[in-house]
Amino acid sequence: MTRPEAPSRVTVLAPMRMELRPIVRRLNLERETIGGRDMWTGRRHDTTVVAAPIGVGPAAALASTAAVLDAWPSDHVLIAGVAGALDDSLRIGDLVWPEWAMDAGGARSTASPAMGPRPTSAAGAVTVDGWCDSDELRMHQANGAVIVDMETASVAQVCDSRRVPWSACRAVSDRIADGIVDQAIAGLVRDDGRPDLAAVTRYLAPAPWRVARLVQVARDSGRATAALAAGVADALGW
């Protein structure tokens, strides 16, 4: 893959710790406290990387991205996480580098080609705040979105306001057409990206057989986060 010259200071932002951990391991990053926040750092060749969790959802992403960039100014922000596939041709573990990100209100931000492969089309990511019904998802797909997540456009908004180039690497962890992840399962994760164990207990109590679905979700998420870590490492040239 041919890349432009790599930025010297790169910030990798992952919504959930389960997305961040494989990246930290793959890049061999070390934990450090920067600006009062837990981050993971490493250096290879002329590139220094800082990785940090930002939480789930647009509000958390806005606040955390600003705080991380206040603590450690960056030349490029790479948003790394899982996503739901709107395009039926995508499979679990596929990587998507969107050319643009759009929030639920329709505001778009364009990714920088300074890191990662150039998108092969004008396909983008739509960022939503909570569960969407099928009609809303079809509308986003008709507007050119191939994946749906809850953070990319918000991170992009902060980056644009500070004139920091950004790009996003999203790995498919579920396919909307399959219907495996529904509103109930989406509600089992807290805003900080950690599982809500009380909610999991309530989910399983009336129907223990649902554990099979949770196992599948965990398996698919594991495939996605492994692919994500490999994609981030490749983009950084590590």
Side-chain angles (χ1 to χ4, degrees):
M1 179 173 65
T2 302
R3 305 181 183 84
E5 184 178 350
S8 59
R9 292 166 64 93
V10 178
T11 300
V12 179
L13 299 178
M16 295 184 285
R17 303 243 174 190
M18 75 164 194
E19 297 161 320
L20 185 64
R21 281 192 294 267
I23 296 171
V24 168
R25 289 195 298 267
R26 184 74 178 243
L27 302 181
N28 196 28
L29 304 182
E30 297 184 357
R31 187 171 180 172
E32 184 176 348
T33 300
I34 302 175
R37 302 177 67 90
D38 285 340
M39 303 189 196
W40 284 259
T41 67
R43 182 177 179 83
R44 184 167 181 178
H45 305 308
D46 295 327
T47 302
T48 300
V49 172
V50 165
I54 57 172
V56 175
L62 278 170
S64 294
T65 300
V68 170
L69 292 181
D70 284 344
W72 199 80
S74 178
D75 297 325
H76 190 100
V77 170
L78 175 58
I79 307 152
V82 300
L86 299 175
D87 185 338
D88 292 347
S89 69
L90 293 171
R91 297 292 180 260
I92 302 299
D94 282 355
L95 295 180
V96 176
W97 293 81
E99 184 175 289
W100 51 264
M102 177 177 66
D103 65 21
R108 287 197 187 194
S109 177
T110 301
S112 167
M115 180 168 295
R118 289 181 178 273
T120 55
S121 69
V126 61
T127 295
V128 299
D129 185 8
W131 188 254
C132 296
D133 61 30
S134 58
D135 288 341
E136 185 175 355
L137 292 174
R138 280 195 292 270
M139 177 191 69
H140 292 315
Q141 186 176 15
N143 288 333
V146 297
I147 54 172
V148 57
D149 64 58
M150 296 180 67
E151 301 83 21
T152 300
S154 295
V155 175
Q157 178 183 331
V158 176
C159 292
D160 287 349
S161 70
R162 299 179 181 225
R163 298 184 179 180
V164 177
W166 68 272
S167 56
C169 180
R170 289 282 183 169
V172 174
S173 61
D174 66 282
R175 291 161 23 97
I176 304 305
D178 294 340
I180 300 299
V181 175
D182 56 17
Q183 187 172 7
I185 287 182
L188 303 181
V189 178
R190 303 188 312 193
D191 288 345
D192 63 1
R194 301 183 185 188
D196 186 332
L197 298 182
V200 172
T201 299
R202 291 192 298 270
Y203 176 76
L204 293 176
W209 54 265
R210 289 175 176 169
V211 71
R213 176 174 285 196
L214 294 186
V215 169
Q216 181 172 350
V217 170
R219 183 185 304 118
D220 291 346
S221 295
R223 287 177 58 189
T225 55
L228 178 68
V232 169
D234 186 46
L236 290 167
W238 285 31

